[in-house]
Amino acid sequence: MSFLDEKFSLKNKVAIVLGGTSGIGQAIARGFAKAGATTIASSRDRERVAAQAKEIEALGSKTLRIPSDVQDRASLQNLCDETVLVFGQVDILMVTSGTLKKMPSVDIPDEDWDRIVDINLNGTFRANQVFGRQMIKQQSGAIINTCSMTSFVSFNEVASYAASKGGVLLLTRSLGCEWAKHNVRVNAIAPGVFRTPLNSKVLDLPERSAAIAARTPMGRVGNVEELVGAAIFLASDAASFVTGETIAVDGGFLAKGI
């Protein structure tokens, strides 16, 4: 095995991807499997979990078929326990579960605000806490959360989403520092604008797609496969001295000024 293969390989590692049956999570789950990891893609949809497991097995990876929900702590604990029972450890946790609602902030009901924050921020913490306990017990592990451009800058009429994703950024920094002594790294990826089932309706608005292209130096939205490299890096031994960081994969969006 070459030096680069050794550093970036996920062989003999066990990875769990929450939200791993669609969009960004699905692409990253496939990438982890191709990089050699035993990969469990989990979400609320039992049929999608089974279909994704079949695809992961076709890539030569071992897996499990266990649904979970970031709003349900017991389901996350069950996923962790069953994975450890079968494979002995959890080396990588990727959290991509999330939700979004675009509407004027003066009109958003409490129940929508609470639901968005509970899935995006509280759900990320639940997952980090459940799997972090296992990683602390192992004295090793890598957690990767999903931030957003709205962790840094405002987008119109998505205040609840922005507040939740701003929270994920600081949660990632806090846990990265707190758990470093246990050899558990906590980082995040902040995707720029990628077409996913979560945002496709928004991207189909001509004024929004034109604004995004104008604001992005590369002049386009991203392909979810373009997030895989950053995820593999943060999950691998190549990032052994990286924790508390958020890597933007955004086509230059955050760097652009006048």
Side-chain angles (χ1 to χ4, degrees), residues 174-190:
S174 297
L175 297 183
C177 293
E178 184 177 342
W179 294 349
K181 63 186 177 184
H182 301 293
N183 197 32
V184 177
R185 298 183 297 105
V186 186
N187 294 291
I189 295 172

PDB file of all heavy atoms in Angstrom, residues 174-190:
ATOM      1  N   SER A 174     -16.833  23.077  19.945  1.00  0.00           N
ATOM      2  CA  SER A 174     -16.835  22.768  21.378  1.00  0.00           C
ATOM      3  C   SER A 174     -16.486  21.307  21.640  1.00  0.00           C
ATOM      4  O   SER A 174     -15.634  20.996  22.479  1.00  0.00           O
ATOM      5  CB  SER A 174     -18.211  23.088  21.972  1.00  0.00           C
ATOM      6  OG  SER A 174     -18.492  24.473  21.867  1.00  0.00           O
ATOM      7  N   LEU A 175     -17.149  20.400  20.921  1.00  0.00           N
ATOM      8  CA  LEU A 175     -16.888  18.974  21.143  1.00  0.00           C
ATOM      9  C   LEU A 175     -15.501  18.585  20.633  1.00  0.00           C
ATOM     10  O   LEU A 175     -14.852  17.716  21.217  1.00  0.00           O
ATOM     11  CB  LEU A 175     -17.964  18.135  20.459  1.00  0.00           C
ATOM     12  CG  LEU A 175     -19.390  18.315  20.983  1.00  0.00           C
ATOM     13  CD1 LEU A 175     -20.346  17.369  20.265  1.00  0.00           C
ATOM     14  CD2 LEU A 175     -19.465  18.101  22.493  1.00  0.00           C
ATOM     15  N   GLY A 176     -15.059  19.221  19.548  1.00  0.00           N
ATOM     16  CA  GLY A 176     -13.722  18.939  19.040  1.00  0.00           C
ATOM     17  C   GLY A 176     -12.658  19.221  20.090  1.00  0.00           C
ATOM     18  O   GLY A 176     -11.697  18.463  20.243  1.00  0.00           O
ATOM     19  N   CYS A 177     -12.848  20.318  20.826  1.00  0.00           N
ATOM     20  CA  CYS A 177     -11.893  20.661  21.883  1.00  0.00           C
ATOM     21  C   CYS A 177     -12.078  19.771  23.113  1.00  0.00           C
ATOM     22  O   CYS A 177     -11.108  19.283  23.695  1.00  0.00           O
ATOM     23  CB  CYS A 177     -12.059  22.124  22.274  1.00  0.00           C
ATOM     24  SG  CYS A 177     -11.578  23.286  20.970  1.00  0.00           S
ATOM     25  N   GLU A 178     -13.334  19.538  23.505  1.00  0.00           N
ATOM     26  CA  GLU A 178     -13.609  18.785  24.728  1.00  0.00           C
ATOM     27  C   GLU A 178     -13.167  17.331  24.617  1.00  0.00           C
ATOM     28  O   GLU A 178     -12.691  16.739  25.601  1.00  0.00           O
ATOM     29  CB  GLU A 178     -15.107  18.853  25.036  1.00  0.00           C
ATOM     30  CG  GLU A 178     -15.494  18.190  26.339  1.00  0.00           C
ATOM     31  CD  GLU A 178     -16.977  18.335  26.652  1.00  0.00           C
ATOM     32  OE1 GLU A 178     -17.638  19.222  26.064  1.00  0.00           O
ATOM     33  OE2 GLU A 178     -17.471  17.554  27.487  1.00  0.00           O
ATOM     34  N   TRP A 179     -13.328  16.752  23.440  1.00  0.00           N
ATOM     35  CA  TRP A 179     -13.061  15.317  23.283  1.00  0.00           C
ATOM     36  C   TRP A 179     -11.690  15.005  22.689  1.00  0.00           C
ATOM     37  O   TRP A 179     -11.352  13.833  22.511  1.00  0.00           O
ATOM     38  CB  TRP A 179     -14.159  14.674  22.427  1.00  0.00           C
ATOM     39  CG  TRP A 179     -15.505  14.690  23.098  1.00  0.00           C
ATOM     40  CD1 TRP A 179     -15.771  14.997  24.404  1.00  0.00           C
ATOM     41  CD2 TRP A 179     -16.776  14.393  22.504  1.00  0.00           C
ATOM     42  NE1 TRP A 179     -17.126  14.912  24.658  1.00  0.00           N
ATOM     43  CE2 TRP A 179     -17.769  14.538  23.517  1.00  0.00           C
ATOM     44  CE3 TRP A 179     -17.172  14.014  21.210  1.00  0.00           C
ATOM     45  CZ2 TRP A 179     -19.120  14.327  23.269  1.00  0.00           C
ATOM     46  CZ3 TRP A 179     -18.523  13.799  20.966  1.00  0.00           C
ATOM     47  CH2 TRP A 179     -19.490  13.956  21.985  1.00  0.00           C
ATOM     48  N   ALA A 180     -10.895  16.031  22.423  1.00  0.00           N
ATOM     49  CA  ALA A 180      -9.560  15.801  21.853  1.00  0.00           C
ATOM     50  C   ALA A 180      -8.706  14.923  22.773  1.00  0.00           C
ATOM     51  O   ALA A 180      -7.930  14.081  22.305  1.00  0.00           O
ATOM     52  CB  ALA A 180      -8.860  17.136  21.602  1.00  0.00           C
ATOM     53  N   LYS A 181      -8.861  15.093  24.077  1.00  0.00           N
ATOM     54  CA  LYS A 181      -8.060  14.312  25.032  1.00  0.00           C
ATOM     55  C   LYS A 181      -8.402  12.829  24.983  1.00  0.00           C
ATOM     56  O   LYS A 181      -7.643  11.998  25.483  1.00  0.00           O
ATOM     57  CB  LYS A 181      -8.259  14.850  26.448  1.00  0.00           C
ATOM     58  CG  LYS A 181      -9.680  14.724  26.968  1.00  0.00           C
ATOM     59  CD  LYS A 181      -9.833  15.418  28.313  1.00  0.00           C
ATOM     60  CE  LYS A 181     -11.279  15.347  28.800  1.00  0.00           C
ATOM     61  NZ  LYS A 181     -11.451  16.102  30.069  1.00  0.00           N
ATOM     62  N   HIS A 182      -9.530  12.496  24.384  1.00  0.00           N
ATOM     63  CA  HIS A 182      -9.939  11.099  24.241  1.00  0.00           C
ATOM     64  C   HIS A 182      -9.602  10.539  22.856  1.00  0.00           C
ATOM     65  O   HIS A 182     -10.042   9.441  22.510  1.00  0.00           O
ATOM     66  CB  HIS A 182     -11.439  10.955  24.482  1.00  0.00           C
ATOM     67  CG  HIS A 182     -11.887  11.407  25.839  1.00  0.00           C
ATOM     68  ND1 HIS A 182     -11.526  10.745  26.997  1.00  0.00           N
ATOM     69  CD2 HIS A 182     -12.652  12.463  26.226  1.00  0.00           C
ATOM     70  CE1 HIS A 182     -12.063  11.379  28.039  1.00  0.00           C
ATOM     71  NE2 HIS A 182     -12.748  12.406  27.595  1.00  0.00           N
ATOM     72  N   ASN A 183      -8.859  11.316  22.060  1.00  0.00           N
ATOM     73  CA  ASN A 183      -8.508  10.910  20.698  1.00  0.00           C
ATOM     74  C   ASN A 183      -9.750  10.789  19.808  1.00  0.00           C
ATOM     75  O   ASN A 183      -9.798   9.961  18.896  1.00  0.00           O
ATOM     76  CB  ASN A 183      -7.718   9.589  20.692  1.00  0.00           C
ATOM     77  CG  ASN A 183      -6.988   9.348  19.373  1.00  0.00           C
ATOM     78  OD1 ASN A 183      -6.556  10.296  18.701  1.00  0.00           O
ATOM     79  ND2 ASN A 183      -6.869   8.091  18.987  1.00  0.00           N
ATOM     80  N   VAL A 184     -10.748  11.606  20.106  1.00  0.00           N
ATOM     81  CA  VAL A 184     -11.958  11.676  19.289  1.00  0.00           C
ATOM     82  C   VAL A 184     -11.967  13.037  18.599  1.00  0.00           C
ATOM     83  O   VAL A 184     -11.986  14.077  19.266  1.00  0.00           O
ATOM     84  CB  VAL A 184     -13.227  11.504  20.142  1.00  0.00           C
ATOM     85  CG1 VAL A 184     -14.479  11.666  19.277  1.00  0.00           C
ATOM     86  CG2 VAL A 184     -13.225  10.142  20.833  1.00  0.00           C
ATOM     87  N   ARG A 185     -11.926  12.997  17.289  1.00  0.00           N
ATOM     88  CA  ARG A 185     -11.918  14.233  16.500  1.00  0.00           C
ATOM     89  C   ARG A 185     -13.343  14.574  16.061  1.00  0.00           C
ATOM     90  O   ARG A 185     -14.099  13.701  15.662  1.00  0.00           O
ATOM     91  CB  ARG A 185     -11.020  14.083  15.267  1.00  0.00           C
ATOM     92  CG  ARG A 185      -9.562  13.831  15.621  1.00  0.00           C
ATOM     93  CD  ARG A 185      -8.649  13.756  14.423  1.00  0.00           C
ATOM     94  NE  ARG A 185      -8.984  12.624  13.547  1.00  0.00           N
ATOM     95  CZ  ARG A 185      -9.601  12.720  12.381  1.00  0.00           C
ATOM     96  NH1 ARG A 185     -10.006  13.900  11.926  1.00  0.00           N
ATOM     97  NH2 ARG A 185      -9.844  11.637  11.654  1.00  0.00           N
ATOM     98  N   VAL A 186     -13.704  15.860  16.143  1.00  0.00           N
ATOM     99  CA  VAL A 186     -15.026  16.320  15.719  1.00  0.00           C
ATOM    100  C   VAL A 186     -14.837  17.491  14.761  1.00  0.00           C
ATOM    101  O   VAL A 186     -14.304  18.538  15.141  1.00  0.00           O
ATOM    102  CB  VAL A 186     -15.895  16.758  16.917  1.00  0.00           C
ATOM    103  CG1 VAL A 186     -17.316  17.094  16.446  1.00  0.00           C
ATOM    104  CG2 VAL A 186     -15.929  15.675  17.990  1.00  0.00           C
ATOM    105  N   ASN A 187     -15.249  17.290  13.528  1.00  0.00           N
ATOM    106  CA  ASN A 187     -15.128  18.306  12.488  1.00  0.00           C
ATOM    107  C   ASN A 187     -16.450  18.422  11.740  1.00  0.00           C
ATOM    108  O   ASN A 187     -17.411  17.716  12.038  1.00  0.00           O
ATOM    109  CB  ASN A 187     -13.992  17.953  11.526  1.00  0.00           C
ATOM    110  CG  ASN A 187     -12.628  18.008  12.186  1.00  0.00           C
ATOM    111  OD1 ASN A 187     -12.135  19.075  12.543  1.00  0.00           O
ATOM    112  ND2 ASN A 187     -12.003  16.842  12.376  1.00  0.00           N
ATOM    113  N   ALA A 188     -16.494  19.309  10.778  1.00  0.00           N
ATOM    114  CA  ALA A 188     -17.714  19.473   9.985  1.00  0.00           C
ATOM    115  C   ALA A 188     -17.356  19.856   8.561  1.00  0.00           C
ATOM    116  O   ALA A 188     -16.273  20.384   8.286  1.00  0.00           O
ATOM    117  CB  ALA A 188     -18.629  20.527  10.594  1.00  0.00           C
ATOM    118  N   ILE A 189     -18.287  19.580   7.679  1.00  0.00           N
ATOM    119  CA  ILE A 189     -18.245  20.063   6.302  1.00  0.00           C
ATOM    120  C   ILE A 189     -19.355  21.082   6.147  1.00  0.00           C
ATOM    121  O   ILE A 189     -20.476  20.872   6.622  1.00  0.00           O
ATOM    122  CB  ILE A 189     -18.447  18.902   5.307  1.00  0.00           C
ATOM    123  CG1 ILE A 189     -17.278  17.921   5.389  1.00  0.00           C
ATOM    124  CG2 ILE A 189     -18.607  19.425   3.879  1.00  0.00           C
ATOM    125  CD1 ILE A 189     -17.487  16.665   4.579  1.00  0.00           C
ATOM    126  N   ALA A 190     -19.053  22.186   5.496  1.00  0.00           N
ATOM    127  CA  ALA A 190     -20.072  23.193   5.181  1.00  0.00           C
ATOM    128  C   ALA A 190     -20.257  23.209   3.664  1.00  0.00           C
ATOM    129  O   ALA A 190     -19.478  23.832   2.943  1.00  0.00           O
ATOM    130  CB  ALA A 190     -19.652  24.576   5.684  1.00  0.00           C
TER     131      ALA A 190
END
